[in-house]
Amino acid sequence: MNMEEEPKKEEQEKSKSSSGQAYYSSRPKIGGRGPSKLRQQFSRGMSYFLVIAASLIFYFVLLRLTNLSDGFLTVFGVLKPVVYGCVIAYLLNPIVRKIDKYLVPALERYIKKREKAEKISRGVGIFVSLVLMVVLIVTLCNLLLPELYSSIRNLIFTLPRQLTELVNELSDVKFNDSTTSKLVKTGIQEGTDMFLNWLKTDFLDKVNAFMSNLTVGMINFLSELFDALIGVIISIYLLFSKELFARQTKKCIYAVFSPRHANMILHLTTKGNEIFGGFIIGKLIDSAIIGVLCFIVLSILKMPYVVLVSVIVGVTNVIPFFGPYIGAIPSAILILLVDPVKGIYFIIFILLLQQFDGNILGPKILGNSTGLSAFWVIVAILLGGGLFGFVGMIMGVPTFAVIYYIAEMIINYRLERKKLPEESKYYDAMSYVDDEGNYCHSEEQRMAINEEKKEKGE
């Protein structure tokens, strides 16, 4: 403490005592002149104890990993309505935010208090978003469920006959006496025999098991539907109080972490929200457009199973990169069994549709929301699908994009500290960093830099 501050402090204490106010009536300042030697030794001992305790806890966590995962799944099952509510609120939030953007200024012309205008606008936004969600779900169910039922029913009744006809046609095909033709004929016969045996044994057993578990499936479906309805109610509260929750979370982060770490966490949260929101909402819109286009074109071409195939193509299109092929393969097989010529037309159409989606529609809607190259997209899909199934294939790309952004930020920070260029184009085969840490251009890189300077007029 400075010598000038000590008289001021004494005067403040004297004024408090002269006014009859106790010294401890106001909140004292936390912290003193620094830790004593005893406290320093105690802190050092506590550090050793915490390290040993953390190691033991980590060891027992590994031993009880199965029990912990079961407990986590139990807690997740109990809190599933909250999870549904968070997902629904996250998907509806763009609509609510857009309505607030235009409705609040309009209401302020008639309502003087801004808080009241914001509450009215928020209520209108939530109501409109929920109505749109219900209308969309009801419309899809009315359009799709009857058609899906008829398509699946026809498929069940006609598939055995179609397979039998295909096998007979393959058996009637005449081959010459060459070795290759004999191998082809033998392969076709063995393949058809294996497929028919699979239909008679494994397939029928799986159908019987599915029918026996149908009651359990209906109960699980009703349970999930009930959780989703509770989630809708929770989403209303979340959307009404989203600013309050955001402020409370921000307050906790600044209270727990240092300002530098807290700002970094908030930055990564904002960036993650930008990546996830842009990817998920954009992918849903893109897949809906692809499904509608597929339905229109297949209806014009008078393809079989129009609604079923359109639903398969639209739903699997949510999965990046592999999704179009995952949906196109079973759809093409279904159409080929009915009409081989139309099946070939369908394959050509799907190839054209995916080119349109990948080169025109997808970039227009999604842009560069993830910032990942095609290689890292494939890695993210394979890793997410292998660990978490269908949901992992969808969420793996934005999750990996956030991890990629963090890694890129750390690498660029370290390069900046070393005063090295951050862009990858500077690290070609001939460029290097000498032992003193100075970056040295290759001749090609030097020419490229000079050309950039000439174009900029430097």
Side-chain angles (χ1 to χ4, degrees):
M1 184 180 293
N2 298 332
M3 298 297 292
E4 297 177 356
E5 295 178 355
E6 290 182 357
K8 292 181 180 179
K9 186 176 181 183
E10 291 176 358
E11 290 177 2
Q12 292 174 358
E13 292 176 357
K14 288 179 181 179
S15 63
K16 286 182 180 180
S17 59
S18 62
S19 62
Q21 188 180 12
Y23 172 75
Y24 52 81
S25 61
S26 60
R27 188 177 66 179
K29 185 179 180 181
I30 299 176
R33 299 177 180 176
S36 62
K37 291 184 179 180
L38 179 62
R39 188 173 179 182
Q40 290 177 0
Q41 294 296 328
F42 179 76
S43 299
R44 190 177 302 169
M46 282 297 296
S47 300
Y48 295 149
F49 171 75
L50 290 175
V51 171
I52 296 172
S55 302
L56 291 174
I57 291 172
F58 181 71
Y59 173 73
F60 284 109
V61 165
L62 292 179
L63 286 179
R64 303 290 183 181
L65 191 60
T66 305
N67 296 333
L68 288 173
S69 62
D70 293 339
F72 173 77
L73 292 175
T74 303
V75 173
F76 178 79
V78 173
L79 296 178
K80 191 176 288 186
V82 180
V83 176
Y84 278 127
C86 293
V87 173
I88 294 170
Y90 189 79
L91 294 176
L92 298 182
N93 185 50
I95 302 174
V96 176
R97 190 169 61 243
K98 187 69 69 175
I99 292 175
D100 284 342
K101 181 180 177 181
Y102 294 102
L103 189 58
V104 171
L107 290 174
E108 284 182 338
R109 300 173 187 172
Y110 307 99
I111 301 174
K112 295 181 179 180
K113 293 183 179 180
R114 182 176 176 82
E115 293 181 358
K116 190 174 181 180
E118 289 178 349
K119 287 183 179 179
I120 295 173
S121 175
R122 182 59 52 82
V124 172
I126 294 173
F127 177 76
V128 171
S129 61
L130 289 175
V131 168
L132 288 176
M133 182 184 72
V134 172
V135 168
L136 180 63
I137 293 173
V138 171
T139 303
L140 289 176
C141 290
N142 288 333
L143 290 175
L144 296 181
L145 289 182
E147 293 291 333
L148 283 175
Y149 172 76
S150 62
S151 298
I152 294 172
R153 183 175 178 278
N154 293 333
L155 180 65
I156 293 172
F157 283 107
T158 59
L159 183 61
R161 178 178 55 80
Q162 292 168 355
L163 290 173
T164 304
E165 292 176 357
L166 178 64
V167 171
N168 294 331
E169 290 178 1
L170 291 175
S171 301
D172 294 338
V173 174
K174 296 182 179 180
F175 295 93
N176 54 27
D177 295 332
S178 63
T179 305
T180 305
S181 62
K182 291 180 180 178
L183 290 174
V184 171
K185 186 175 182 180
T186 304
I188 292 173
Q189 290 177 348
E190 291 181 356
T192 51
D193 292 339
M194 290 175 60
F195 186 70
L196 290 174
N197 290 330
W198 176 79
L199 284 176
K200 294 176 182 177
T201 56
D202 295 341
F203 181 73
L204 290 177
D205 292 340
K206 290 180 180 179
V207 170
N208 292 329
F210 172 77
M211 294 302 294
S212 61
N213 294 328
L214 188 60
T215 305
V216 179
M218 287 298 297
I219 294 173
N220 292 333
F221 174 76
L222 293 175
S223 176
E224 294 291 331
L225 184 62
F226 181 72
D227 290 339
L229 291 175
I230 298 176
V232 172
I233 299 172
I234 293 173
S235 68
I236 296 173
Y237 289 99
L238 290 174
L239 289 171
F240 257 116
S241 306
K242 61 178 182 177
E243 288 84 4
L244 176 62
F245 292 138
R247 291 166 187 164
Q248 290 175 342
T249 304
K250 191 174 182 179
K251 181 180 72 173
C252 293
I253 291 173
Y254 275 118
V256 174
F257 299 96
S258 64
R260 185 167 63 90
H261 291 156
N263 290 328
M264 180 59 67
I265 291 172
L266 292 173
H267 169 73
L268 293 177
T269 303
T270 305
K271 188 66 179 178
N273 177 57
E274 178 185 334
I275 292 173
F276 272 86
F279 178 81
I280 294 173
I281 296 174
K283 201 63 183 173
L284 289 175
I285 296 172
D286 175 67
S287 300
I289 294 173
I290 290 298
V292 171
L293 288 176
C294 184
F295 174 79
I296 293 171
V297 176
L298 293 185
S299 300
I300 294 171
L301 296 176
K302 297 181 179 180
M303 295 279 184
Y305 311 118
V306 173
V307 177
L308 180 62
V309 170
S310 300
V311 170
I312 293 173
V313 171
V315 170
T316 55
N317 194 72
V318 177
I319 302 173
F321 197 83
F322 293 111
Y325 305 103
I326 294 174
I329 291 172
S331 302
I333 292 173
L334 290 176
I335 297 175
L336 281 169
L337 290 173
V338 178
D339 192 336
V341 177
K342 289 185 177 180
I344 295 172
Y345 289 159
F346 173 77
I347 294 172
I348 296 171
F349 163 69
I350 286 295
L351 292 175
L352 295 175
L353 182 64
Q354 295 309 321
Q355 290 298 317
F356 167 73
D357 182 33
N359 297 317
I360 299 175
L361 183 63
K364 286 287 184 181
I365 297 176
L366 295 172
N368 194 20
S369 59
T370 60
L372 296 177
S373 63
F375 172 76
W376 292 118
V377 169
I378 295 172
V379 172
I381 294 170
L382 293 176
L383 186 61
L387 293 175
F388 303 105
F390 181 77
V391 177
M393 296 180 76
I394 299 172
M395 303 301 294
V397 174
T399 304
F400 194 88
V402 174
I403 297 172
Y404 185 89
Y405 176 79
I406 295 171
E408 185 180 32
M409 187 171 57
I410 295 171
I411 292 170
N412 290 340
Y413 170 73
R414 294 182 66 86
L415 289 172
E416 184 181 358
R417 289 185 60 186
K418 296 179 180 180
K419 297 180 179 179
L420 296 174
E422 298 176 7
E423 297 183 17
S424 301
K425 66 180 182 180
Y426 291 102
Y427 296 92
D428 57 2
M430 300 304 295
S431 61
Y432 63 96
V433 179
D434 60 18
D435 295 338
E436 285 75 25
N438 299 317
Y439 173 80
C440 299
H441 298 287
S442 64
E443 194 61 33
E444 295 179 359
Q445 191 65 48
R446 195 186 305 277
M447 292 173 63
I449 293 172
N450 291 332
E451 288 180 1
E452 288 182 3
K453 288 182 178 180
K454 289 180 181 179
E455 291 178 356
K456 294 178 180 179
E458 298 179 357

